[in-house]
Amino acid sequence: AMHEGHIVSAQELTVLLQSLFSQNSRNLVLFLQDRLSVDDFTYLTESYGNKNPFQNQVNKLFINLLQEILQSSPSSLVLPAVDCEATRYLLSFLQESGDWKLKNVTNLNVSQLEVNASEGNLLVVQLQPLVGGLKEISTLEAIAENDKIIGRVTMALQKRGIYFSVIYTAVSPSRISRRTDVVAELRRQLMATEEEDDLSYPPLNMTTGNYTCILFYASNFSLKANSSVFIDLTNATFVTQNVDISDSECSDSNTTLSLKYTNPVNGISSLEIRFLMTNKFYEGSARQWFTLDSVEIIQDGEKFAKFNVSDISAPAEYSFHCQLVGTSNLYPARLVPANNEAKNWDIFISRLQIQGFNIENNQFSYASDCTGFFTPGIWMGLVTSVILLWILTYGIHMIMQLTTNSRFDDPKGPALSVPQTE
């Protein structure tokens, strides 16, 4: 029993999870999402009615439990939460807590997944990210799709008679509740820890000799082929690093990051993704700039897709950072299809940070962000201020043009006559 609003620490979480390790069935399924909060369950189920995105049995049981707790609460209720530090290292903690056989489930069809029930199995399912902040319906569709993935995996294991436990969590919260009485003192702390929360795992580094020439990081790195096959490469690239980067090349003027994956999903035997970067001197700024010129995808050594890149550049001494990069028109940095094969692919990269030149101490340099200083909101405020200032100036000018009469009627004398010229 915990009081409302309690934040479960990493130590308390390990105690709560001990019951999973003592059960006879030592099969554990970890559904990992980029962002998730209890509010996602309560808000989406109440707001969308028949479009409830939670349909599988696991989430329905959790929602029913939440509704019972909320209805029985005599006043407003704040449920306990888990500290971000605890969930960040949850996967590594689970691997160290038992003799688990780690399996990364990246495809939606798990019928061919080999699970030995006599051994301890840890199945890690990377769910697709929530596209929060762009369109609310996108978040609804993403959660609904993740709910279907959870349903497929759990039903497939149940049909095969495999007993298992489920953990559904995320790396960071999707909603942060802010009380007005503490927001002033917490704002600076939240901004200070934001950068620490971003890097939940180390970046991928390419070394030549004794120095690092490429650094690459993303909180989510996923593709979708033919609008149907979802491929999540985040775990294979950064956590387990089950990726071949031996074909990457580095020089002072050109750098290529080559990522090769073997059997990322059913139906694709090999997948290679290349990031081509150049370092040039520009006379206009009188300095060196590095640019990400193109991204290439090679499927099964035959199908070649090329994307031209817009708005990804930085001074050669800096790294580049962008919150959202992909093929969607809504993203600040876009990957534009350059051939017909590229139109069959959708790319989503969140919190991208990349550097291909002038890396020191194996760490990212200062990041040049894709979001410019003059955002649409700033432009709207400036234009509105200019219009209001013009109206004020015009009004003051008209008031200053008003004059009083210099002559007045005398009731005892003749009528005052004012020529029209005056």
Side-chain angles (χ1 to χ4, degrees):
M2 297 182 182
H3 60 82
E4 60 181 21
H6 176 75
I7 299 179
V8 179
S9 64
Q11 183 177 2
E12 292 172 333
L13 182 62
T14 57
V15 176
L16 294 174
L17 294 178
Q18 289 300 324
S19 60
L20 295 177
F21 309 140
S22 60
Q23 295 176 356
N24 296 329
S25 173
R26 298 184 60 248
N27 297 305
L28 181 62
V29 184
L30 174 62
F31 294 102
L32 192 59
Q33 198 166 276
D34 61 339
R35 298 186 178 191
L36 185 68
S37 294
V38 175
D39 294 337
D40 293 325
F41 294 90
T42 56
Y43 171 70
L44 292 176
T45 52
E46 294 176 358
S47 300
Y48 291 93
N50 296 330
K51 295 183 180 180
N52 185 355
F54 304 105
Q55 298 295 332
N56 77 78
Q57 185 178 5
V58 175
N59 283 333
K60 278 187 175 180
L61 291 174
F62 177 65
I63 292 172
N64 291 335
L65 177 61
L66 275 179
Q67 291 176 347
E68 292 179 3
I69 295 175
L70 292 172
Q71 292 175 359
S72 61
S73 177
S75 60
S76 60
L77 178 66
V78 180
L79 295 173
V82 180
D83 188 10
C84 293
E85 291 290 335
T87 57
R88 177 188 299 182
Y89 302 105
L90 178 60
L91 180 58
S92 59
F93 164 73
L94 293 176
Q95 291 180 267
E96 296 173 358
S97 300
D99 188 15
W100 302 99
K101 187 175 182 181
L102 181 64
K103 292 181 180 293
N104 294 297
V105 184
T106 56
N107 57 302
L108 305 184
N109 185 9
V110 296
S111 59
Q112 300 180 359
L113 180 64
E114 296 181 0
V115 178
N116 188 355
S118 61
E119 300 178 352
N121 298 282
L122 175 59
L123 308 180
V124 180
V125 183
Q126 288 280 352
L127 301 176
Q128 67 175 349
L130 305 184
V131 190
L134 298 178
K135 292 190 302 182
E136 190 63 42
I137 191 64
S138 299
T139 303
L140 175 67
E141 293 175 351
I143 290 183
E145 185 62 29
N146 289 341
D147 182 81
K148 293 178 182 178
I149 296 174
I150 295 175
R152 291 191 189 102
V153 174
T154 54
M155 288 299 297
L157 294 176
Q158 289 177 358
K159 290 180 180 179
R160 298 168 63 177
I162 299 175
Y163 296 93
F164 58 91
S165 300
V166 172
I167 296 178
Y168 182 18
T169 187
V171 178
S172 60
S174 60
R175 299 165 186 251
I176 300 177
S177 59
R178 303 194 178 196
R179 291 166 44 195
T180 56
D181 57 339
V182 297
V183 66
E185 60 187 53
L186 288 183
R187 181 178 300 160
R188 183 165 296 179
Q189 298 177 11
L190 290 173
M191 294 176 63
T193 58
E194 183 177 358
E195 295 183 359
E196 298 179 3
D197 292 339
D198 284 347
L199 295 176
S200 56
Y201 36 73
L204 180 69
N205 64 80
M206 169 62 188
T207 59
T208 57
N210 296 327
Y211 70 96
T212 301
C213 63
I214 302 175
L215 286 175
F216 174 63
Y217 173 84
S219 64
N220 186 279
F221 181 29
S222 56
L223 313 174
K224 183 175 286 188
N226 299 318
S227 302
S228 58
V229 181
F230 181 75
I231 310 171
D232 192 337
L233 303 174
T234 310
N235 189 65
T237 306
F238 304 104
V239 181
T240 62
Q241 294 193 357
N242 187 20
V243 57
D244 181 12
I245 59 174
S246 59
D247 287 347
S248 300
E249 300 177 354
C250 296
S251 69
D252 294 337
S253 58
N254 295 280
T255 296
T256 300
L257 174 61
S258 175
L259 307 175
K260 289 185 176 181
Y261 306 89
T262 303
N263 296 321
V265 291
N266 286 342
I268 299 179
S269 59
S270 66
L271 187 67
E272 181 181 3
I273 303 175
R274 298 174 182 169
F275 295 84
L276 284 75
M277 294 170 281
T278 59
N279 182 16
K280 295 180 181 180
F281 179 81
Y282 290 86
E283 297 181 356
S285 59
R287 67 183 306 172
Q288 298 277 346
W289 285 72
F290 97 84
T291 57
L292 177 60
D293 296 326
S294 62
V295 176
E296 300 174 351
I297 299 177
I298 303 176
Q299 176 186 344
D300 300 329
E302 299 177 353
K303 299 181 179 179
F304 176 79
K306 182 178 180 179
F307 299 86
N308 294 326
V309 182
S310 64
D311 301 326
I312 296 186
S313 62
E317 300 82 8
Y318 293 177
S319 63
F320 176 82
H321 175 269
C322 195
Q323 190 71 12
L324 291 173
V325 177
T327 51
S328 173
N329 296 328
L330 300 175
Y331 298 160
R334 284 199 61 207
L335 304 180
V336 183
N339 59 6
N340 292 330
E341 183 63 30
K343 298 178 181 179
N344 298 326
W345 291 89
D346 293 322
I347 302 177
F348 176 83
I349 307 176
S350 63
R351 301 184 189 178
L352 168 71
Q353 188 166 3
I354 189 170
Q355 184 174 356
F357 304 95
N358 303 315
I359 298 175
E360 297 180 358
N361 300 324
N362 298 330
Q363 294 180 350
F364 280 115
S365 302
Y366 176 83
S368 176
D369 201 273
C370 61
T371 302
F373 178 77
F374 287 97
T375 62
I378 294 178
W379 280 115
M380 184 179 297
L382 288 175
V383 172
T384 304
S385 300
V386 170
I387 294 175
L388 294 177
L389 183 61
W390 180 83
I391 295 174
L392 177 63
T393 304
Y394 179 78
I396 294 176
H397 175 73
M398 295 302 295
I399 292 175
M400 294 177 64
Q401 298 302 315
L402 296 177
T403 59
T404 59
N405 294 331
S406 59
R407 289 175 290 179
F408 301 91
D409 268 333
D410 185 0
K412 297 180 180 181
L416 181 65
S417 176
V418 180
Q420 293 184 356
T421 56
E422 297 183 9

